[in-house]
Coordinates of all heavy atoms in Angstrom, one line a residue:
M1 N 114.0 81.7 66.1 CA 114.5 81.9 67.5 C 114.4 83.4 67.9 O 113.8 83.8 68.9 CB 115.9 81.4 67.6 CG 116.4 81.2 69.1 SD 115.3 80.0 70.0 CE 116.1 80.1 71.6
A2 N 114.9 84.2 66.9 CA 114.9 85.6 67.2 C 113.4 86.1 67.2 O 113.1 87.0 68.1 CB 115.7 86.3 66.1
K3 N 112.6 85.5 66.4 CA 111.2 85.9 66.4 C 110.5 85.6 67.7 O 109.7 86.4 68.2 CB 110.5 85.3 65.2 CG 109.2 85.8 64.8 CD 108.7 85.3 63.5 CE 107.2 85.5 63.3 NZ 106.8 86.9 63.3
A4 N 110.8 84.4 68.2 CA 110.2 83.9 69.4 C 110.6 84.9 70.6 O 109.8 85.2 71.4 CB 110.6 82.5 69.7
N5 N 111.9 85.3 70.6 CA 112.3 86.2 71.7 C 111.6 87.5 71.6 O 111.2 88.1 72.6 CB 113.8 86.4 71.5 CG 114.6 85.3 72.2 OD1 114.1 84.5 73.0 ND2 115.9 85.2 71.8
H6 N 111.4 87.9 70.4 CA 110.7 89.2 70.2 C 109.3 89.2 70.7 O 108.8 90.0 71.4 CB 110.8 89.6 68.7 CG 110.1 90.9 68.4 ND1 108.9 90.9 67.8 CD2 110.5 92.2 68.7 CE1 108.5 92.2 67.7 NE2 109.5 93.0 68.2
N7 N 108.6 88.0 70.4 CA 107.3 87.9 70.8 C 107.2 87.8 72.4 O 106.2 88.4 72.9 CB 106.7 86.6 70.2 CG 106.2 86.8 68.8 OD1 106.1 88.0 68.4 ND2 106.0 85.7 68.1
S8 N 108.1 87.1 73.0 CA 108.0 87.0 74.4 C 108.3 88.3 75.1 O 107.7 88.7 76.1 CB 108.9 85.9 75.0 OG 110.2 86.2 74.7
A9 N 109.2 89.1 74.5 CA 109.5 90.4 75.0 C 108.2 91.3 74.9 O 107.9 92.0 75.8 CB 110.6 91.1 74.2
L10 N 107.6 91.2 73.8 CA 106.3 91.9 73.6 C 105.3 91.5 74.6 O 104.6 92.4 75.2 CB 105.8 91.6 72.2 CG 104.8 92.7 71.6 CD1 105.6 94.0 71.3 CD2 104.2 92.2 70.3
F11 N 105.2 90.2 74.8 CA 104.2 89.7 75.8 C 104.6 90.3 77.2 O 103.7 90.7 77.9 CB 104.3 88.2 75.8 CG 103.4 87.6 76.9 CD1 102.0 87.6 76.8 CD2 104.0 87.0 78.0 CE1 101.3 87.1 77.8 CE2 103.3 86.4 79.0 CZ 101.9 86.5 78.9
L12 N 105.9 90.2 77.5 CA 106.3 90.7 78.9 C 106.0 92.2 79.0 O 105.5 92.6 80.1 CB 107.8 90.4 79.1 CG 108.1 89.0 79.6 CD1 109.6 88.9 79.7 CD2 107.4 88.8 81.0
S13 N 106.2 93.0 78.0 CA 106.0 94.4 78.2 C 104.5 94.7 78.2 O 104.1 95.6 78.9 CB 106.7 95.2 77.1 OG 106.2 94.8 75.8
S14 N 103.7 93.9 77.5 CA 102.2 94.1 77.6 C 101.8 93.8 79.1 O 100.9 94.5 79.6 CB 101.5 93.1 76.7 OG 102.1 93.1 75.5
V15 N 102.3 92.7 79.6 CA 102.0 92.3 81.0 C 102.4 93.5 81.9 O 101.6 93.9 82.8 CB 102.7 91.0 81.4 CG1 102.6 90.8 82.9 CG2 102.0 89.9 80.7
L16 N 103.6 94.0 81.7 CA 104.0 95.1 82.5 C 103.1 96.3 82.5 O 102.7 96.9 83.5 CB 105.5 95.5 82.1 CG 106.2 96.3 83.1 CD1 106.6 95.4 84.3 CD2 107.5 96.9 82.5
V17 N 102.8 96.7 81.2 CA 101.9 97.9 81.0 C 100.6 97.6 81.7 O 100.0 98.5 82.4 CB 101.7 98.2 79.5 CG1 100.6 99.1 79.3 CG2 103.0 98.7 79.0
L18 N 100.1 96.4 81.5 CA 98.7 96.1 82.1 C 98.8 96.1 83.6 O 97.9 96.7 84.2 CB 98.4 94.7 81.6 CG 96.9 94.4 81.6 CD1 96.2 95.2 80.6 CD2 96.6 92.9 81.4
S19 N 99.9 95.6 84.2 CA 99.9 95.6 85.7 C 100.1 97.0 86.2 O 99.6 97.3 87.2 CB 101.0 94.6 86.2 OG 102.2 94.9 85.6
L20 N 100.8 97.8 85.5 CA 101.0 99.2 85.9 C 99.6 99.9 85.8 O 99.3 100.7 86.7 CB 102.0 100.0 85.0 CG 103.5 99.7 85.3 CD1 104.3 100.4 84.3 CD2 103.8 100.3 86.7
L21 N 98.9 99.6 84.8 CA 97.6 100.2 84.6 C 96.6 99.8 85.8 O 96.0 100.7 86.4 CB 97.0 99.7 83.3 CG 95.9 100.6 82.7 CD1 96.5 101.9 82.2 CD2 95.2 99.9 81.6
I22 N 96.6 98.5 86.1 CA 95.8 98.0 87.2 C 96.3 98.7 88.5 O 95.5 99.1 89.3 CB 95.9 96.5 87.3 CG1 95.1 95.9 86.0 CG2 95.3 96.0 88.6 CD1 95.3 94.5 85.8
F23 N 97.6 98.7 88.7 CA 98.1 99.3 89.9 C 97.7 100.8 90.1 O 97.2 101.2 91.1 CB 99.6 99.2 89.9 CG 100.2 99.9 91.1 CD1 100.2 99.2 92.4 CD2 100.9 101.1 91.0 CE1 100.7 99.9 93.5 CE2 101.4 101.7 92.1 CZ 101.4 101.1 93.4
S24 N 97.8 101.5 89.0 CA 97.5 103.0 89.1 C 96.0 103.1 89.3 O 95.5 104.1 90.0 CB 98.0 103.7 87.9 OG 97.4 103.3 86.7
M25 N 95.2 102.2 88.7 CA 93.7 102.3 88.9 C 93.4 102.0 90.4 O 92.6 102.7 91.0 CB 93.0 101.3 88.1 CG 92.6 101.9 86.7 SD 92.3 100.7 85.5 CE 91.2 99.6 86.3
A26 N 94.1 101.0 90.9 CA 93.8 100.6 92.4 C 94.3 101.8 93.3 O 93.7 102.1 94.2 CB 94.6 99.4 92.7
E27 N 95.4 102.4 92.9 CA 95.9 103.5 93.7 C 95.0 104.7 93.7 O 94.8 105.3 94.7 CB 97.3 103.9 93.2 CG 98.0 104.8 94.2 CD 99.4 105.1 93.8 OE1 99.6 105.5 92.6 OE2 100.3 105.0 94.6
S28 N 94.5 105.1 92.5 CA 93.6 106.2 92.5 C 92.3 106.0 93.2 O 91.8 106.8 93.9 CB 93.3 106.7 91.1 OG 92.7 105.6 90.4
R29 N 91.9 104.7 93.2 CA 90.7 104.3 94.0 C 91.0 104.5 95.5 O 90.2 105.0 96.2 CB 90.4 102.8 93.7 CG 89.1 102.4 94.1 CD 88.9 100.9 93.7 NE 88.1 100.2 94.7 CZ 86.8 100.2 94.8 NH1 86.1 100.9 93.9 NH2 86.2 99.6 95.8
F30 N 92.2 104.0 95.9 CA 92.6 104.1 97.3 C 92.7 105.6 97.7 O 92.2 106.0 98.7 CB 94.0 103.5 97.5 CG 94.6 103.7 98.8 CD1 94.1 103.1 100.0 CD2 95.6 104.7 99.0 CE1 94.6 103.3 101.2 CE2 96.1 104.9 100.2 CZ 95.6 104.2 101.3
L31 N 93.2 106.5 96.8 CA 93.3 107.9 97.1 C 91.9 108.5 97.2 O 91.7 109.4 98.1 CB 94.2 108.6 96.1 CG 95.7 108.3 96.1 CD1 96.4 109.0 95.0 CD2 96.2 108.8 97.4
A32 N 91.0 108.1 96.4 CA 89.7 108.6 96.4 C 89.0 108.2 97.8 O 88.4 109.1 98.4 CB 88.9 108.1 95.3
V33 N 89.2 107.0 98.2 CA 88.7 106.6 99.5 C 89.3 107.4 100.6 O 88.7 107.9 101.5 CB 88.9 105.1 99.7 CG1 88.6 104.7 101.1 CG2 88.0 104.3 98.7
G34 N 90.7 107.5 100.5 CA 91.4 108.3 101.6 C 90.9 109.7 101.6 O 90.7 110.2 102.7
G35 N 90.7 110.3 100.5 CA 90.2 111.7 100.5 C 88.9 111.8 101.1 O 88.6 112.8 101.8
G36 N 88.0 110.8 100.9 CA 86.7 110.8 101.5 C 86.8 110.7 103.0 O 86.1 111.4 103.7
L37 N 87.7 109.9 103.5 CA 87.9 109.8 104.9 C 88.4 111.0 105.5 O 88.1 111.3 106.7 CB 88.9 108.6 105.2 CG 88.3 107.2 105.1 CD1 89.4 106.2 105.4 CD2 87.2 107.0 106.1
L38 N 89.2 111.8 104.8 CA 89.8 113.0 105.3 C 88.8 114.2 105.2 O 89.2 115.3 105.6 CB 91.1 113.3 104.6 CG 92.3 112.4 104.9 CD1 93.4 112.7 104.0 CD2 92.7 112.5 106.3
K39 N 87.6 114.0 104.8 CA 86.7 115.1 104.5 C 86.5 116.0 105.7 O 86.7 117.2 105.6 CB 85.4 114.6 104.0 CG 84.7 115.5 103.1 CD 83.5 114.9 102.4 CE 83.1 115.7 101.2 NZ 82.1 115.0 100.3
P40 N 86.3 115.5 106.9 CA 86.3 116.4 108.1 C 87.7 116.8 108.4 O 88.4 116.1 109.2 CB 85.6 115.6 109.2 CG 85.4 114.2 108.7 CD 86.1 114.1 107.4
R41 N 88.3 117.7 107.7 CA 89.7 117.9 107.7 C 90.2 118.4 109.0 O 89.5 118.9 109.8 CB 90.1 119.0 106.6 CG 89.5 120.3 106.8 CD 89.7 121.2 105.6 NE 89.3 122.5 105.8 CZ 90.0 123.5 106.4 NH1 91.2 123.2 106.8 NH2 89.5 124.7 106.6
T42 N 91.5 118.1 109.3 CA 92.0 118.4 110.6 C 92.0 119.9 110.9 O 92.3 120.7 110.0 CB 93.5 117.9 110.7 OG1 94.1 118.3 109.5 CG2 93.5 116.4 110.8
P43 N 91.6 120.3 112.1 CA 91.5 121.7 112.4 C 92.8 122.4 112.3 O 93.9 121.8 112.6 CB 90.9 121.7 113.8 CG 91.1 120.4 114.3 CD 91.2 119.4 113.2
E44 N 92.8 123.7 112.0 CA 94.1 124.4 112.1 C 94.0 125.3 113.3 O 93.1 126.0 113.6 CB 94.1 125.3 110.8 CG 94.6 124.6 109.6 CD 94.8 125.5 108.4 OE1 95.0 126.7 108.6 OE2 94.7 125.0 107.3
C45 N 95.1 125.2 114.0 CA 95.2 126.0 115.3 C 96.1 127.2 115.1 O 97.3 127.0 114.7 CB 95.7 125.1 116.4 SG 95.5 125.8 118.0
D46 N 95.6 128.3 115.4 CA 96.4 129.6 115.3 C 97.0 130.0 116.6 O 98.0 130.8 116.6 CB 95.6 130.7 114.7 CG 95.1 130.3 113.3 OD1 95.8 129.6 112.6 OD2 94.0 130.8 112.8
E47 N 96.4 129.6 117.7 CA 96.9 130.1 119.0 C 96.6 129.1 120.0 O 95.5 128.5 120.1 CB 96.2 131.4 119.3 CG 96.8 132.2 120.5 CD 96.0 133.4 120.8 OE1 95.2 133.9 120.0 OE2 96.2 133.9 122.0
V48 N 97.6 128.8 120.9 CA 97.3 127.8 122.0 C 97.4 128.5 123.3 O 98.0 129.6 123.4 CB 98.4 126.6 121.9 CG1 98.1 125.8 120.7 CG2 99.8 127.2 121.9
F49 N 96.8 127.8 124.3 CA 96.8 128.4 125.6 C 97.1 127.2 126.6 O 96.6 126.1 126.5 CB 95.4 128.9 125.9 CG 95.1 129.3 127.3 CD1 95.5 130.5 127.8 CD2 94.4 128.4 128.1 CE1 95.3 130.9 129.1 CE2 94.1 128.8 129.5 CZ 94.6 130.0 129.9
G50 N 98.0 127.5 127.5 CA 98.3 126.5 128.5 C 97.4 126.5 129.7 O 97.2 127.6 130.3
V51 N 96.8 125.4 130.0 CA 95.8 125.4 131.1 C 96.5 125.6 132.5 O 97.6 125.1 132.7 CB 95.1 124.0 131.1 CG1 94.2 123.8 132.4 CG2 94.3 123.7 129.9
R52 N 95.9 126.6 133.2 CA 96.4 126.8 134.6 C 95.4 126.1 135.6 O 94.4 125.7 135.2 CB 96.4 128.3 134.9 CG 97.2 129.1 133.9 CD 96.7 130.6 133.8 NE 95.3 130.6 133.5 CZ 94.6 131.7 133.3 NH1 95.3 132.9 133.4 NH2 93.3 131.7 133.1
S53 N 95.8 126.1 136.9 CA 94.9 125.4 137.8 C 93.6 126.2 137.9 O 93.6 127.4 137.7 CB 95.6 125.3 139.2 OG 95.9 126.6 139.7
D54 N 92.5 125.5 138.1 CA 91.2 126.1 138.2 C 90.6 126.5 136.8 O 89.5 127.1 136.8 CB 91.1 127.3 139.2 CG 91.5 126.8 140.6 OD1 91.2 125.6 140.9 OD2 91.9 127.6 141.3
D55 N 91.4 126.4 135.7 CA 90.8 126.7 134.4 C 89.8 125.6 134.1 O 89.9 124.4 134.4 CB 91.9 126.7 133.3 CG 92.5 128.1 133.2 OD1 91.8 129.1 133.5 OD2 93.6 128.2 132.7
T56 N 88.7 126.0 133.4 CA 87.7 125.1 132.9 C 87.6 125.4 131.4 O 87.9 126.5 130.9 CB 86.4 125.2 133.6 OG1 85.9 126.6 133.4 CG2 86.5 125.0 135.1
C57 N 87.0 124.4 130.7 CA 86.7 124.7 129.3 C 85.8 125.9 129.1 O 86.0 126.7 128.3 CB 86.1 123.4 128.6 SG 87.2 122.1 128.3
F58 N 84.8 125.9 130.0 CA 83.9 127.0 129.9 C 84.5 128.4 130.1 O 84.4 129.3 129.4 CB 82.7 126.8 130.9 CG 81.6 127.9 130.8 CD1 80.8 128.0 129.7 CD2 81.5 128.8 131.8 CE1 79.8 128.9 129.6 CE2 80.5 129.8 131.7 CZ 79.7 129.9 130.6
G59 N 85.3 128.4 131.2 CA 86.1 129.7 131.5 C 87.0 130.1 130.4 O 87.1 131.3 130.0
I60 N 87.6 129.1 129.7 CA 88.6 129.4 128.6 C 87.8 129.9 127.4 O 88.2 130.9 126.8 CB 89.4 128.2 128.3 CG1 90.4 127.9 129.5 CG2 90.2 128.4 127.0 CD1 91.0 126.5 129.5
T61 N 86.7 129.3 127.1 CA 85.9 129.8 126.0 C 85.4 131.2 126.2 O 85.4 132.0 125.3 CB 84.7 128.9 125.6 OG1 83.9 128.8 126.8 CG2 85.1 127.5 125.2
Q62 N 85.0 131.5 127.5 CA 84.6 132.8 127.9 C 85.7 133.8 127.7 O 85.5 134.9 127.1 CB 84.1 132.9 129.3 CG 82.9 132.0 129.6 CD 81.6 132.8 129.3 OE1 81.3 133.8 129.9 NE2 80.9 132.3 128.3
S63 N 86.9 133.5 128.2 CA 87.9 134.6 128.2 C 88.5 134.8 126.8 O 89.1 135.8 126.5 CB 89.0 134.2 129.2 OG 89.4 132.9 129.1
F64 N 88.3 133.8 125.9 CA 88.8 134.0 124.5 C 87.6 134.3 123.6 O 87.8 134.3 122.4 CB 89.6 132.8 124.0 CG 90.9 132.7 124.7 CD1 91.1 132.0 125.9 CD2 92.0 133.4 124.2 CE1 92.4 131.9 126.5 CE2 93.3 133.3 124.8 CZ 93.4 132.6 125.9
N65 N 86.5 134.5 124.1 CA 85.3 134.8 123.3 C 85.0 133.8 122.2 O 84.8 134.1 121.1 CB 85.4 136.2 122.6 CG 85.3 137.3 123.6 OD1 84.8 137.1 124.7 ND2 85.7 138.5 123.2
L66 N 85.1 132.5 122.6 CA 84.9 131.5 121.6 C 83.5 130.8 121.8 O 83.1 130.7 123.0 CB 85.9 130.3 121.8 CG 87.4 130.7 121.6 CD1 88.3 129.6 122.1 CD2 87.7 131.0 120.2
T67 N 82.9 130.4 120.8 CA 81.7 129.7 120.9 C 82.1 128.2 121.2 O 83.2 127.8 120.8 CB 80.9 129.6 119.6 OG1 81.7 129.0 118.6 CG2 80.5 131.0 119.2
T68 N 81.3 127.5 122.0 CA 81.7 126.2 122.3 C 81.8 125.3 121.1 O 82.6 124.4 121.0 CB 80.6 125.5 123.3 OG1 79.3 125.8 122.8 CG2 80.8 126.1 124.7
T69 N 81.0 125.6 120.1 CA 81.1 124.9 118.8 C 82.4 125.0 118.2 O 83.0 124.0 117.8 CB 80.0 125.4 117.8 OG1 78.8 125.5 118.5 CG2 79.9 124.5 116.6
L70 N 83.0 126.2 118.1 CA 84.3 126.4 117.5 C 85.3 125.8 118.4 O 86.2 125.1 118.0 CB 84.6 127.9 117.4 CG 86.0 128.2 116.8 CD1 86.1 127.7 115.4 CD2 86.3 129.7 116.9
F71 N 85.2 126.0 119.7 CA 86.2 125.4 120.7 C 86.2 123.9 120.5 O 87.3 123.3 120.5 CB 85.8 125.8 122.1 CG 86.8 125.4 123.2 CD1 88.0 126.0 123.3 CD2 86.5 124.3 124.0 CE1 88.9 125.6 124.3 CE2 87.4 123.8 124.9 CZ 88.6 124.5 125.1
D72 N 85.1 123.3 120.5 CA 85.1 121.8 120.3 C 85.7 121.4 119.0 O 86.4 120.4 118.9 CB 83.6 121.3 120.4 CG 83.1 121.4 121.8 OD1 83.9 121.6 122.7 OD2 81.8 121.3 122.0
S73 N 85.4 122.2 118.0 CA 85.9 121.7 116.6 C 87.4 121.9 116.5 O 88.1 121.2 115.8 CB 85.1 122.4 115.5 OG 85.4 123.8 115.6
I74 N 88.0 122.9 117.2 CA 89.4 123.1 117.1 C 90.2 122.3 118.2 O 91.4 122.3 118.2 CB 89.9 124.6 117.1 CG1 89.4 125.3 118.4 CG2 89.4 125.3 115.9 CD1 89.7 126.8 118.4
N75 N 89.4 121.7 119.1 CA 90.0 120.8 120.1 C 89.3 119.5 120.1 O 88.6 119.1 121.0 CB 89.9 121.4 121.5 CG 90.7 122.6 121.7 OD1 91.9 122.5 121.9 ND2 90.1 123.8 121.6
P76 N 89.5 118.7 118.9 CA 88.8 117.4 118.8 C 89.3 116.5 119.9 O 90.5 116.6 120.2 CB 89.1 117.0 117.4 CG 90.3 117.7 117.0 CD 90.3 119.0 117.8
N77 N 88.5 115.6 120.4 CA 88.9 114.6 121.4 C 89.3 115.2 122.7 O 89.9 114.5 123.5 CB 90.0 113.7 120.8 CG 89.7 113.1 119.5 OD1 88.5 112.7 119.2 ND2 90.6 113.2 118.6
L78 N 88.9 116.4 123.0 CA 89.3 117.0 124.3 C 88.3 116.5 125.3 O 87.1 116.6 125.1 CB 89.3 118.5 124.2 CG 89.5 119.3 125.5 CD1 90.9 119.0 126.0 CD2 89.3 120.7 125.3
N79 N 88.8 116.1 126.4 CA 87.9 115.7 127.5 C 88.0 116.8 128.6 O 88.9 116.9 129.3 CB 88.4 114.3 128.1 CG 87.5 113.8 129.2 OD1 86.6 114.5 129.7 ND2 87.6 112.5 129.5
C80 N 86.9 117.6 128.6 CA 86.9 118.8 129.5 C 86.8 118.4 131.0 O 87.2 119.2 131.8 CB 85.8 119.7 129.1 SG 86.2 120.7 127.7
T81 N 86.4 117.2 131.3 CA 86.4 116.8 132.7 C 87.7 116.3 133.2 O 87.9 115.9 134.3 CB 85.3 115.8 133.0 OG1 85.5 114.6 132.2 CG2 83.9 116.3 132.7
A82 N 88.7 116.2 132.2 CA 90.0 115.7 132.6 C 91.1 116.7 132.1 O 92.2 116.3 131.7 CB 90.2 114.3 131.9
L83 N 90.8 118.0 132.3 CA 91.8 119.0 132.0 C 93.0 118.9 133.0 O 92.7 118.6 134.1 CB 91.2 120.4 132.1 CG 90.4 121.0 131.0 CD1 90.1 122.4 131.2 CD2 91.0 120.8 129.6
F84 N 94.2 119.2 132.5 CA 95.3 119.2 133.5 C 96.1 120.4 133.3 O 96.2 121.0 132.2 CB 96.1 117.9 133.4 CG 96.7 117.6 132.0 CD1 97.9 118.1 131.6 CD2 95.9 116.8 131.1 CE1 98.4 117.8 130.4 CE2 96.4 116.5 129.9 CZ 97.7 117.0 129.5
V85 N 96.8 120.9 134.3 CA 97.6 122.1 134.3 C 98.7 121.8 133.3 O 99.4 120.8 133.4 CB 98.1 122.4 135.7 CG1 99.1 123.6 135.6 CG2 97.0 122.8 136.6
G86 N 98.9 122.8 132.4 CA 100.0 122.7 131.4 C 99.5 122.1 130.1 O 100.3 122.0 129.2
Q87 N 98.3 121.6 130.1 CA 97.7 121.0 128.8 C 97.5 122.2 127.8 O 97.1 123.3 128.2 CB 96.4 120.4 129.1 CG 95.7 119.8 127.9 CD 94.5 119.0 128.3 OE1 93.9 119.1 129.4 NE2 94.0 118.2 127.3
W88 N 97.9 121.9 126.6 CA 97.7 122.9 125.6 C 96.4 122.8 124.9 O 96.0 121.7 124.4 CB 98.9 122.8 124.5 CG 100.2 123.1 125.1 CD1 101.2 122.3 125.4 CD2 100.7 124.4 125.4 NE1 102.3 122.9 125.9 CE2 102.0 124.3 125.9 CE3 100.2 125.7 125.4 CZ2 102.8 125.4 126.4 CZ3 100.9 126.8 125.8 CH2 102.2 126.6 126.3
L89 N 95.7 123.9 124.9 CA 94.4 123.9 124.2 C 94.5 124.9 123.1 O 95.2 125.9 123.2 CB 93.3 124.4 125.2 CG 93.0 123.5 126.4 CD1 91.9 124.1 127.2 CD2 92.7 122.1 126.0
C90 N 93.7 124.6 122.0 CA 93.7 125.6 120.9 C 92.6 126.6 121.2 O 91.5 126.3 121.6 CB 93.4 124.8 119.7 SG 93.4 125.9 118.2
V91 N 93.0 127.9 121.1 CA 92.0 128.9 121.4 C 91.7 129.8 120.3 O 90.9 130.8 120.4 CB 92.5 129.8 122.7 CG1 92.4 128.9 123.9 CG2 93.9 130.4 122.4
A92 N 92.4 129.6 119.1 CA 92.0 130.3 117.9 C 92.4 129.4 116.7 O 93.4 128.7 116.8 CB 92.8 131.6 117.9
G93 N 91.6 129.5 115.7 CA 91.9 128.7 114.6 C 90.6 128.4 113.8 O 89.6 129.1 114.0
S94 N 90.7 127.5 112.9 CA 89.5 127.2 112.1 C 89.4 125.7 111.9 O 90.4 125.0 111.9 CB 89.5 127.9 110.8 OG 90.8 127.6 110.1
A95 N 88.2 125.2 111.7 CA 88.1 123.8 111.5 C 87.1 123.5 110.4 O 86.5 124.4 109.9 CB 87.5 123.1 112.8
Ligands
NAG1 C1 85.6 139.4 124.3 O1 84.4 140.2 124.0 C2 84.2 141.3 124.9 C3 82.9 141.9 124.6 O2 82.6 141.9 123.3 C4 85.4 142.2 124.8 O3 85.3 143.3 125.8 C5 86.7 141.5 125.1 O4 87.8 142.3 124.9 C6 86.8 140.3 124.2 N1 88.0 139.5 124.6 C7 88.9 139.0 123.7 C8 90.0 138.2 124.3 O5 88.7 139.1 122.5
NAG2 C1 86.8 112.1 130.6 O1 87.6 112.0 131.8 C2 86.9 111.6 133.0 C3 87.9 111.7 134.2 O2 89.1 111.1 133.9 C4 86.5 110.1 132.7 O3 85.8 109.6 133.8 C5 85.6 110.1 131.5 O4 85.3 108.7 131.2 C6 86.3 110.7 130.3 N1 85.4 110.8 129.2 C7 85.8 110.4 128.0 C8 84.8 110.6 126.9 O5 86.9 109.9 127.7

């Protein structure tokens, strides 16, 4: 009886170790996929500018000496035809 209990405890702990192993393998796989998705990393913004009336994306890039490439990359998903007064734009940073 004591021997049977010992064996089932051994079996249970093997199952536990095995499932932890599978779980950590699945998790590292998930992290690898997540890291791949994050590759175009989120831009860092060092300075913001509040849009005033009559401001345009072009005018803002001119006054801050930004290339449109940099401006676009630090302001992802910005719709320049729908700028609104008080909208915060990133005018310095890196992407
Ligand atoms: C932008 O560049 C011009 C010419 O190089 C310079 O006179 C001006 O001070 C710069 N403006 C800013 C905000 O850096
Ligand atoms: C940008 O905004 C304009 C005006 O609201 C809209 O017509 C256009 O579809 C928008 N473009 C994108 C890519 O969301």
Side-chain angles (χ1 to χ4, degrees):
M1 194 61 183
K3 193 172 166 59
N5 278 341
H6 180 255
N7 280 343
S8 63
L10 201 70
F11 174 72
L12 274 178
S13 60
S14 318
V15 168
L16 196 71
V17 166
L18 203 68
S19 53
L20 280 175
L21 203 70
I22 290 168
F23 176 75
S24 62
M25 268 160 50
E27 190 175 50
S28 61
R29 192 179 145 84
F30 171 76
L31 286 175
V33 169
L37 283 177
L38 289 174
K39 213 167 193 172
R41 60 190 187 86
T42 45
E44 281 185 21
C45 192
D46 296 332
E47 194 182 342
V48 291
F49 170 79
V51 173
R52 303 155 307 184
S53 59
D54 298 332
D55 271 335
T56 59
C57 284
F58 182 71
I60 291 163
T61 56
Q62 293 279 293
S63 48
F64 288 92
N65 286 346
L66 298 170
T67 61
T68 47
T69 313
L70 178 66
F71 184 76
D72 288 346
S73 64
I74 59 182
N75 292 284
N77 309 318
L78 174 65
N79 185 345
C80 279
T81 58
L83 280 189
F84 56 89
V85 174
Q87 181 174 14
W88 293 106
L89 298 180
C90 184
V91 291
S94 54

